Structure formats: C-alpha cells, structure tokens
Amino acid sequence: MAADETSPLLENGAAPRTTKVTKVTKVAKVAGTVFGPANRILLAGFMMSFTLGITQVPIIYVFRLMECDVFYSHNPPFEGPGDRCHRREIDAGTATQVSILGMSTSFSGVFNLFICGYFIKLWGPRWAFVSQTALLGLRVSTQTLGVTVGGRAGIIIFQACQAIGIIGGPRGFQLVLNTAVSELVAPKDRTATFGRLQGSIMLGTAFGFLLGGVLGDVYNIRRPFETAFFLYVASTIYGALFLPTGTGNEATSQKPSGRGLSGFFAPIKVIVPHKYRLESGSVIKNYGLVFLALGIFLGVFASGYAPILLQMYATSEFNFSTTENGYLMFGNSAIRGIFLLLLFPKIISTGRVWFNGTPASSEIKHPDPEIHIPIDPEEFEADEGGEVPQEPIQPPDLDEEDSGTGFDLFFVRWSLIVDSMVTFFAGFSRNGWQVYLAGFLLPFASGSAPAAKGVMTELCPPNQRQDAISAITLVESTATLLTQGLFGMIFAAFAEAGQPSLTFFCNAGLAVFGFMVLFLAHLPPPNSKRIDDEDSETETES
C-alpha cells in the first residue's frame, strides 16, 4: 500500500511500545504486592512461630525422660513390663519442672519486651529481629545439649538457659514484627495487617506442633531441637536479607531522649491519660488508653487460659489422650490463623464502611491518570543543558489518615461478648465432640488483640507507635502470666470439688467484665489535638 501524506511515519510503532510498557507495569505491580513489605513480615512471623512450635510438644516429653533418669538414679532399677516412667513421683516432678519452665518463660518474656524495644530504637526493626532470632537459635542449641546430657544436669541446663529469653525471645520478635507493621503499612490497612500477622503466627504454631511430634516419634527426641536450630539460622538469614527496614520519617521523628533510660521505660508512659485541645480552645483529659489497656488485660486474662482449660477439662472428664489433645490444639490454632488471615481483614473493612456510613463525595479519591514511565533509552528526551537525564520517579502518596478507629474499638468490645458466650456454653459440655466444637468456635472471637493494636497506634503520635505496640504487648504478656497461675489454682479447686466446669463460667464472667470496662474507653473528640508534655511546657513558658 502506497504511503501518502496522512500515513504515520513509524507505522504505528509507538502502540506496541506502549502495550509493552503497560504489561511490564502490571507485572511490577503484582510482584510488588506479592513480595511487598507486609507479606515479607507475615512470612517472617510464620517462620518464627513454626520454628518455636516444633519444640513445644517434645519439651514436656523430654522433661519426663530426664525426671525418670533422676528418679532411678537413687531408686532400684525398673523391672517388669510396661513403661518404666509411669509413676506418680515422676509425673509430679515433670509437672513441677514444666511449671517452672513456663513461669521463667513468662517472666523473661516481660523483660524481653523492654530490651527488644530498646534494640528497635537503636538498630531498627530489621536488625532487632536478627538479634532475636540469633539468640533464640542459641537457646535451642543449649536445649539440644540438655537433651543429650539428660538427668539432673540436663534439667539444670534447660532451666538456666531460659535466661537467654530475657535478651532474645518470642515476645521480642513479635514486638519487632508488629512495630514494622505500624511503620510500613498505611493506617487504613494497619489493623487488618495486625490481624493477618497474628494469623500467620497461629498457623505457624499449629503446623509446628504437628511437625515436632512427628519428628520426635519417627526419629528421636533430639531431632526436633536440631531441626529448630537450623530453622532459626534460616530465619536469621532471611531477616537480615529480606525483612524491610523502617521508614525514614519514622526514624527521624524519634526524639533524642527516646534512646536513654526514659526510652527504655517509655511503653509504660504510653498508658496514661492525655490532654487534648478542642476546637473551642479548651483542654480536656482523655482516659481512653487507660481503659483500653485495662479492658484488654481483662479480656486476655479471661480468654488466655481457655486452650489449656479445654485440654485439662477434656482429659479429666472425657479421658482425652495426647493425640486427641494434639488434634484439638491444632484445630484451634489453625482455625484461628485462617480466621485472622482471611476473614478478619474483610470484617474490618466492611465494618468500617457500615460504622462510618457512606463517605462524603469530597473524601472519595478519584484515581489519578496513569503515568507513563519510560523504560527504554529512546523514550527519554534529550537534555539541552548537557546534563545526564535522570529516571523519573513517581512520588509516593501521602499517608492517609485512618477513619476506622471507631469501628476497631467497637469490634474489641463485642468480640469479648462472643468469647464469653462460647466459653459459657463450653461449660455445659457433656461429650467429647462438644469440647471439639468449643475449641473450633473460640477462634472466631480472637480478633480483639490486633484490633486493640490498631486503636492504640492511632491514638498515639507517629514517634510513639513502637512504644504503643510495646505497651499493649506488655499488657497481654502480664495478663497471660497471671491467668496461667490464678486459673490453674481455680481449676484445681473446682476439680477437687468435682465441678471443673465451673471454671468456664468464671472465665465467661471475667470477659463480660472486660466488655463493661471497654465501654469506658472513649476516643478523643473529633478535630481535637493531643497536647504532649513538651508542648504544654512550652505554652507555659511563653
């Protein structure tokens, strides 16, 4: 076909180039979503919880074997058929050692929160995470040594080396990952990502339980600890290479005093009343953070003992074996993980739309026209000034303000009611399948903790978000520590009286009390501004 004056000179050569650029852009967007900072944080949470879960089941069996060795070291050797370790003295000694291990783990976890929070301020989330994984690898290597030695020496190695958890432990790596979420995820997605992170941790724990038991049964009791050591090494390498670092504005917003002794105890200072200036100019004091922390404390105090309570109740009333309790805990953890990963984000996004109503027309953001970024050298225009042309960079969107804090607080309150109802009806279980049903329904009330983290981070200025995460984690850890001791004694007292099911009703009543306390937690008035201590001092001097 002959060309005339209306024919394009390049025969539509630009069209394929544009199509190619569009395809590359789409692939880059998909890759950025799949391998984005949030998903890398979730994978780190799954890996660490999976590794921790591998050793949780074998530890109880290891203590039983070591107590058995201690017993027969000063008693006549076992003769006859059956299990040589099946004695009341050995069972009592095993329970004592496991209780000591649990208490030392809980205490070291509380101190670990302060130390790890200090590491985050010094090094940032990435290298703080590496410090936690490396020290956990060191701890599990000492546990491997304890298993090898056995007897009284092995028990001493196990118990003494739990002190490593003060510097690097499970609470620390969870604090690091939650802090990374608060820094790297947009406010409107932050609460949902907190839930997804907890869900990935629960899924890792569930599969870790299964693999740890299988490795111990198929090979030997040392193999789970050896496997966990190499997985900690892999997690350390993954964190050093792929875990995202904190944003620049978060690091620069930290105040110089945040790295001193005051910064070490900064999480405690977050849970105090704060002053707000209204639009009229008057100043009020808001107690929302105080009652939110108290309500979460009561909620965890009520629900934190539920998994252990289900196992003990099923064992005493329905003669559940270790295998049946393993299935119960795996199902509970797996369903909780799936709920937090898939359903919880949908509930938060849909609930915020329902709670806030239809957004105003001015708040609806229209998509910007697609910006064509040249990728071939031929597409860059020549620069007349002789300077080397630079690749154009699209500036990131400004951080959107979160308008869903109201629904998050609403969700925290009513999830405690759901938890109390399921716990209450679990007390009427008369068959084993009813215990399984309660274990499978309880996870659907497990979103209060991530929702509370979302509320807490939004009520604090950006430079205090890490301290806010540390504060809410400290509240949860303290409640977990107390509920294991107190409700353990309550269950023992009711079991001795022949009414162990009454413990469920105590749990349910405490959850309702936490719900009532949370109604005293109110958000600051709209358009009010928080007044920090430094701001008030400046105003007084002026």
Side-chain angles (χ1 to χ4, degrees), residues 54-224:
I54 288 176
T55 59
Q56 296 306 303
V57 173
I59 277 180
I60 299 177
Y61 184 69
V62 163
F63 272 116
R64 186 168 183 264
L65 291 180
M66 292 190 292
E67 277 293 326
C68 188
D69 294 338
V70 172
F71 176 80
Y72 285 108
S73 65
H74 52 78
N75 283 282
F78 176 78
E79 295 180 359
D83 184 7
R84 64 188 291 264
C85 298
H86 186 64
R87 296 182 64 95
R88 288 179 297 176
E89 299 91 339
I90 297 175
D91 292 339
T94 302
T96 301
Q97 295 299 331
V98 171
S99 298
I100 295 174
L101 184 72
M103 292 177 61
S104 62
T105 301
S106 300
F107 277 113
S108 62
V110 172
F111 290 108
N112 181 225
L113 290 175
F114 291 99
I115 295 178
C116 185
Y118 191 67
F119 286 167
I120 294 173
K121 294 179 181 179
L122 287 177
W123 305 326
R126 171 184 287 184
W127 297 112
F129 178 82
V130 170
S131 70
Q132 301 303 295
T133 56
L135 288 169
L136 281 169
L138 176 62
R139 190 180 74 173
V140 80
S141 66
T142 62
Q143 292 175 347
T144 306
L145 176 62
V147 175
T148 305
V149 173
R152 180 63 64 189
I155 293 176
I156 294 174
I157 293 174
F158 252 88
Q159 300 290 13
C161 291
Q162 284 299 109
I164 298 175
I166 296 176
I167 305 175
R171 293 291 181 182
F173 91 80
Q174 293 182 38
L175 173 62
V176 171
L177 297 181
N178 279 290
T179 302
V181 169
S182 68
E183 292 183 356
L184 298 168
V185 178
K188 63 184 180 65
D189 300 325
R190 193 174 292 148
T191 300
T193 309
F194 282 141
R196 293 173 61 203
L197 174 60
Q198 187 174 349
S200 65
I201 291 175
M202 294 306 302
L203 275 181
T205 301
F207 287 105
F209 284 163
L210 284 184
L211 181 61
V214 170
L215 289 175
D217 292 337
V218 175
Y219 297 98
N220 56 68
I221 198 60
R222 281 184 51 185
R223 188 56 55 88

Side-chain angles (χ1 to χ4, degrees), residues 262-345:
S262 61
F264 189 82
F265 296 102
I268 300 178
K269 300 178 182 179
V270 173
I271 312 175
V272 294
H274 293 282
K275 295 180 180 180
Y276 288 84
R277 179 182 287 110
L278 305 179
E279 287 183 306
S280 60
S282 58
V283 177
I284 64 170
K285 184 174 288 188
N286 184 270
Y287 294 85
L289 290 177
V290 177
F291 288 113
L292 175 65
L294 181 58
I296 291 301
F297 175 86
L298 293 173
V300 175
F301 191 71
S303 61
Y305 192 71
I308 302 177
L309 176 59
L310 285 175
Q311 294 181 74
M312 297 181 67
Y313 182 73
T315 301
S316 63
E317 294 295 313
F318 308 117
N319 297 320
F320 270 31
S321 64
T322 304
T323 302
E324 291 170 320
N325 275 327
Y327 289 147
L328 176 63
M329 288 299 97
F330 171 76
N332 181 272
S333 300
I335 292 177
R336 181 173 300 182
I338 294 173
F339 168 76
L340 291 172
L341 273 173
L342 303 179
L343 296 181
F344 179 75

Side-chain angles (χ1 to χ4, degrees), residues 475-500:
V475 169
E476 294 173 4
S477 302
T478 307
T480 303
L481 174 63
L482 292 178
T483 190
Q484 291 176 355
L486 180 60
F487 274 104
M489 292 187 294
I490 293 176
F491 179 84
F494 283 141
E496 187 175 356
Q499 298 292 333

